[in-house]
């Protein structure tokens, strides 16, 4: 395999598990602060804080740049293709194909993150041909541990990923999922 990642399609829409995962658009900029400007998101994720409309614009621009580079896609989590309720990410990295997510505080408790993770994993397996997807999360983040478990991931026996971000140290566990255990197939529209 070459060192250059394969490009992602210019447009991606994934459906499955009662969700539509779609590209972020200019029309979503005003809704993004309500989803991401929250203490939980600031603490557990690398998303900037405070998160205002300028941060939303920067995130959308960065999303488009990373997609063009073939490294990362960020999709809005919706139930109908309209109002965004959160975000799911797929990132190609040397340590593996990683999925990440954030759900707006008003929309938690509906299983959105676990369902979005399973749909994104199915995309990675079926469309990108990856053999395993990973989640990297802190053991103390009970909500993310629950998402990993509910989405069918298993804790991998690999060293912790230690670092510091936003002035606080972290230690990330790596959870993995392989195609045979995903049990989900999403439909892809391009």
């Amino acid at each position: 395999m070459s060192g250059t990642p394969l490009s992602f399609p210019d447009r991606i829409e994934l459906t499955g598990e009662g969700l539509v995962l779609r590209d972020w658009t200019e029309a979503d900029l005003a809704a993004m602060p309500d989803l991401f400007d929250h203490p939980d998101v600031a603490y557990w994720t690398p998303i900037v804080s405070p998160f205002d409309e300028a941060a939303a614009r920067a995130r959308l621009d960065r999303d488009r740049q990373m997609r063009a580079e073939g490294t990362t896609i960020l999709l809005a989590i919706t139930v109908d293709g309209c109002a965004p309720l959160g975000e799911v990410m797929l990132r190609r990295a040397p340590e593996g194909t990683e999925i990440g997510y954030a759900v707006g505080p008003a929309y938690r408790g509906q299983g959105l993150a676990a369902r979005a993770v399973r749909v994104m994993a199915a995309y990675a397996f079926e469309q990108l041909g990856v053999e395993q997807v990973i989640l990297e999360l802190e053991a103390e983040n009970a909500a993310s541990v629950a998402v990993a478990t509910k989405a069918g991931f298993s804790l991998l026996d690999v060293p912790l990923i230690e670092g510091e971000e936003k002035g606080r140290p972290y230690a990330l566990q790596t959870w993995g999922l392989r195609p045979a255990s995903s049990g989900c197939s999403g439909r892809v529209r391009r």
Side-chain angles (χ1 to χ4, degrees):
M1 175 180 225
S2 75
T4 305
L6 300 173
S7 64
F8 291 116
D10 290 336
R11 180 170 145 37
I12 299 175
E13 183 175 285
L14 309 177
T15 60
E17 300 222 12
L19 299 177
V20 177
L21 309 180
R22 62 160 177 82
D23 295 319
W24 287 105
T25 68
E26 305 288 326
D28 296 321
L29 291 174
M32 290 171 82
D34 286 340
L35 301 175
F36 302 133
D37 191 37
H38 188 270
D40 286 347
V41 174
Y43 188 82
W44 295 114
T45 76
I47 295 174
V48 300
S49 179
F51 194 95
D52 56 14
E53 285 200 44
R57 164 53 59 201
R59 189 159 182 85
L60 182 62
D61 292 345
R62 181 76 176 124
D63 167 35
R64 291 174 177 167
Q65 177 187 349
M66 291 184 302
R67 176 157 327 163
E69 293 168 354
T71 60
T72 305
I73 53 175
L74 302 173
L75 299 177
I77 300 170
T78 77
V79 293
D80 56 6
C82 295
L85 311 175
E87 174 178 90
V88 64
M89 171 208 72
L90 183 136
R91 180 175 71 96
R92 293 172 170 149
E95 60 273 12
T97 301
E98 179 187 2
I99 295 177
Y101 48 87
V103 173
Y107 308 106
R108 294 180 186 160
Q110 302 173 41
L112 295 171
R115 291 187 285 154
V117 165
R118 285 192 298 262
V119 172
M120 186 65 92
Y123 171 75
F125 299 143
E126 297 166 11
Q127 301 298 316
L128 304 178
V130 303
E131 295 179 10
Q132 178 175 261
V133 293
I134 59 172
L135 300 175
E136 295 174 344
L137 53 96
E138 294 180 65
E140 297 81 16
N141 186 344
S144 280
V145 170
V147 167
T149 303
K150 190 172 182 180
F153 284 69
S154 299
L155 184 59
L156 300 179
D157 186 18
V158 298
L160 292 174
I161 301 164
E162 296 181 292
E164 185 175 314
E165 191 162 52
K166 297 181 186 175
R168 76 171 189 90
Y170 64 80
L172 302 175
Q173 297 177 325
T174 304
W175 293 68
L177 179 71
R178 295 192 174 275
S181 58
S182 71
C184 173
S185 179
R187 190 180 61 187
V188 178
R189 289 188 221 154
R190 294 182 190 191

